[in-house]
Amino acid sequence: MTSNEIGRICATCLKGDQEASAALAEAIGWAGDGQILIEPKEGGGLALRMLAEMDFHFGHASPAFATDAERMSCTLEACSVLVMKVEGDAEQRLFPGWLQVTAPPSRALLLVAEGLGSDAIEALVHEHRRGARRCAVVAIPAGQGDALLDRVAALTWTSVHTERAKRLFERGEPVELGSAFRVHVERGRTLLQVDVGSGAALADVPPQRAALLQVGGATEVESAARRRRLQDALKAARAAIAGGVLPGGGAAFVSAQAAPAAAHYFESTREARGAGASQPEPRRSRFLESFDAVERGGSDLLDIPFGGDGLLSARRQPAPGANPTSARDFGAASPLPLPAARPAGASRPAEAPSPFEVWSPAEALPPAEAAVPRDASPPAEAPPPVDAPTVLRHVDVACPRRMWLGAERFSLVVRLTVAPSSLSVASRTGPVPLRPSEPVRVRLSAPSFDVLSPLEQEIRIPASGDSDPVVFFLKPTALGERALLLDFLQSGNPVGSAAVQVEVTAMPVATSDTAYGSGAVRTSSASLAEAPERMLYIAYERSPAGGALTFTLIRKGEVGRTFTRVPLSSSPEDFTTSLYRELNLLRAGKDPTVDALGRPRLAIDREDVDMKIRDMGFELWKALFPEDFRRMYAAERKAWRDSSMIILSDEPFIPWELVWPYGTEPERWHDEEPWCLSMSLTRWLRRNEQGGGHEGPAAALRVEAFALLVPTDSNLPSAPKEKEFLARLLGQDRKLQDRSPKYATAKEVKALLKNGGYGLIHAATHGNFSTSAPDAITALWLEGGEPLSPRAINGPDIESHLGAARPAFVFNACELGQGAWSLVGIGGWANRLISAGAGLFLAPLWLVSDDRAYAFCEALYRELANGAPVGKAVREARRAAKKDGDPTHLAYCVYAHPNARFVFGSGA
């Protein structure tokens, strides 16, 4: 691609800003596929530096040179470079004095040396530590540095000093030094950047190139805005050059054409191109071809009035007979830019089919920032027939497992294949049935990356053969181990997920695709259920400072929307530990503040308890949800009432059921109830890289046999009544097999789990949860005070039954719905059972009252026996257990599909 064409693309991306577009085009022309850095600059204006880079696999000679203690790295700006080879019996004690003459301490120094002794290195460490000299030493073992030293010297415009060091040190003669714009040294690697100026003297410069754009402004805010604009333009320009499509649907092109300066710029470049425009050129992008078509004009162009409500947009339609799914455009509603205005009165020939579909802004979806009222829920989609033909497909994911933080982008490729791929980076699971008649939507969650392509894409399943791939483009923004999460949806239901762990490094690395086997989208019947009206994905980034939350909402039948990232200043674990303690005190009728301050305990009335619980819900809403989400909810809250929603959260602590929305604009309002009462609300856990979570919830929970775990020595007055009620409802009325042990000892319960054959296990007893050891010390208390911990759910017999039968588990025992971090992910009963394949898990998050727990259980099973879906049944059970001044009815957390139903009886 010629420099003129690159200039035209950059001018379009920057809407005719000549200074910025010229600098960006020059940077792209120089760096090519190398990195282009955009950094702040003191004062105003824009400066371009053309850099040459070199990296080699030798790092600092001592960790004491590190200026970044966390990454153990050292960065030097505008430093001198001394390249030398120390030979002979040099008295290295003379080295520091000689260095004072050769390299004054006022300027930073990089010393690249072969054969330098430990005494000289220690002397430089001492100077560096006391602040006398900013320096770093890269020591190369003897006999390994000849070629490397020559390359470093050539790049930094100096020479390798190979005189006998004894003579050099004793005479105290200064030597020639090189220079570098920036040096980054870490353990085992060094990156050297040199400013090559105009690029005139490039004979000895390596082909690894980079560029630096320094952007200033009158104020810091203006400078930051200009940098963001340049970064966006850089991404768009490189996408257009590489993929032939300019992101933005052509809006920038319209603005550029409307600007006189841009028009003059385009005219000058067209004249400069001259007759060469008609000659065939390699790699001409679709964007440039369409650009030329606009410049030439023609009868197939639209009337485009500029400005106002009459502005039309254009979307490219596939040619007659073309496969509309064969082209996958890069992040734009339209693969071509908007055409220029057609002269008034011009007509389009009737025989020429229009390649555009015209639409007005009124027909478009609302922008991401707008809060558009939704007075009614989206129209319900009829679920497909259960006997729809299915095919088995595996997930094949390809992406580099290690990448450099400075990389402009990398690709993540996803497809569904007939046979498992040994090269896939997804975890291995079994094949699953999918319906080829309906597309599978793939959504990417990448909190620590800039996603340069659409977050959600569609895969069509052929009846035979592998699917076409979909490609996501990403740019890393943070160092360390990072997770990329892929969610698969069919018919509006979550049917699978895949996680890929990647490492982002501070230095350039060779990308590697590590094979981990082929993953699969696995589901039993969730894809055949009625989809929930909303799915809320909550991604959690862990960090010592507290982490961050990112919310993505997917409405039924629509593409998902991601909201502003919410940074957390403290750990969610500390927050919820305090919250659960307050709830436990409120259940006992005590004021948490008075108790925490050690004052005499005062009883509080029921109305005060309910008010404090509402305040907790208000606080969750205000503190955890971003402003754009709250604005959206305020406009749509009537449509959310009585709807169904499933929450898929990556963090194990926060009680989302307690969220109680409110607002002050345009008028004061608040919901009458928290989310768990205003909606049919459930949760689920996504499959992660360590095998936690599950691909998709079951839609049909089939029960032919059940087991009741009710110890006789629990001293809970309502527990025997609970056992009697369930035995009568399930055993006598529904004629199900009762496999309950006579005494629920640990031995009997473990034998029950191992033998399988059950579809439901219900426990009514005491429970305790441990945040420090959620899998080992968390206890479901059985007969004789014996504990059953989540660690009991392991082994081939237990896990194979859970994976095949997908049974339901209801633990009516305090605190067992909680989760916490374990060694490799989320720990606790919920993750252990769901990961093994359970179709439902329900338990309280905090302490519950015995009588209210029984009322909840009784109402829950009556609703389920009458055919109510799980979400509605739990909601009605909460209402039945509700009692003023007691938060028991809010304590229950359910992991399941909100529209899942129990199927009781023989032949289920």
Side-chain angles (χ1 to χ4, degrees), residues 717-856:
S718 298
K721 293 192 297 182
E722 193 168 318
K723 180 178 182 181
E724 181 182 357
F725 164 74
L726 291 175
R728 182 176 64 252
L729 177 68
L730 301 177
Q732 299 177 17
D733 297 348
R734 294 289 172 171
K735 309 300 182 185
L736 304 181
Q737 301 176 40
D738 188 348
R739 299 193 176 179
S740 306
K742 183 176 181 181
Y743 296 102
T745 63
K747 180 179 179 181
E748 292 292 330
V749 173
K750 289 179 181 178
L752 169 69
L753 293 170
K754 184 176 180 180
N755 295 332
Y758 56 88
L760 167 67
I761 289 182
H762 179 98
T765 180
H766 294 286
N768 288 107
F769 181 78
S770 169
T771 56
S772 60
D775 288 329
I777 304 179
T778 295
L780 176 73
W781 294 104
L782 301 176
E783 196 78 31
E786 293 181 317
L788 183 73
S789 71
R791 277 187 177 172
I793 308 299
N794 58 37
D797 296 328
I798 296 176
E799 293 184 17
S800 61
H801 174 68
L802 266 64
R806 308 210 63 185
F809 291 81
V810 178
F811 288 174
N812 206 359
C814 298
E815 298 183 344
L816 296 189
Q818 292 186 39
W821 296 122
S822 65
L823 180 62
V824 292
I826 296 176
W829 276 107
N831 185 67
R832 185 59 68 109
L833 291 169
I834 296 300
S835 301
L840 177 145
F841 175 72
L842 188 153
L845 292 168
W846 56 85
L847 301 183
V848 293
S849 302
D850 180 53
D851 60 333
R852 296 297 89 203
Y854 171 64
F856 179 91

Side-chain angles (χ1 to χ4, degrees), residues 344 372 383 386 408 416 494 496 592 606 657 676 821 871:
V372 179
V386 176
E408 287 300 323
L416 298 174
R606 295 176 179 179
E657 294 78 5
C676 65
W821 296 122

Side-chain angles (χ1 to χ4, degrees), residues 633-656:
Y633 183 86
E636 302 178 8
R637 62 192 184 97
K638 291 182 180 179
W640 286 56
R641 179 77 185 183
D642 298 325
S643 65
S644 59
M645 184 168 77
I646 185 170
I647 294 177
L648 296 96
S649 176
D650 296 336
E651 61 77 38
F653 299 105
I654 299 173
W656 301 106

Side-chain angles (χ1 to χ4, degrees), residues 536-538 549-553 561-563 566 624-626 656:
L536 183 60
Y537 289 90
I538 305 174
L549 296 172
T550 303
F551 295 83
T552 299
L553 178 66
R561 173 183 171 187
T562 299
F563 297 84
V566 180
L624 298 180
F625 288 82
W656 301 106

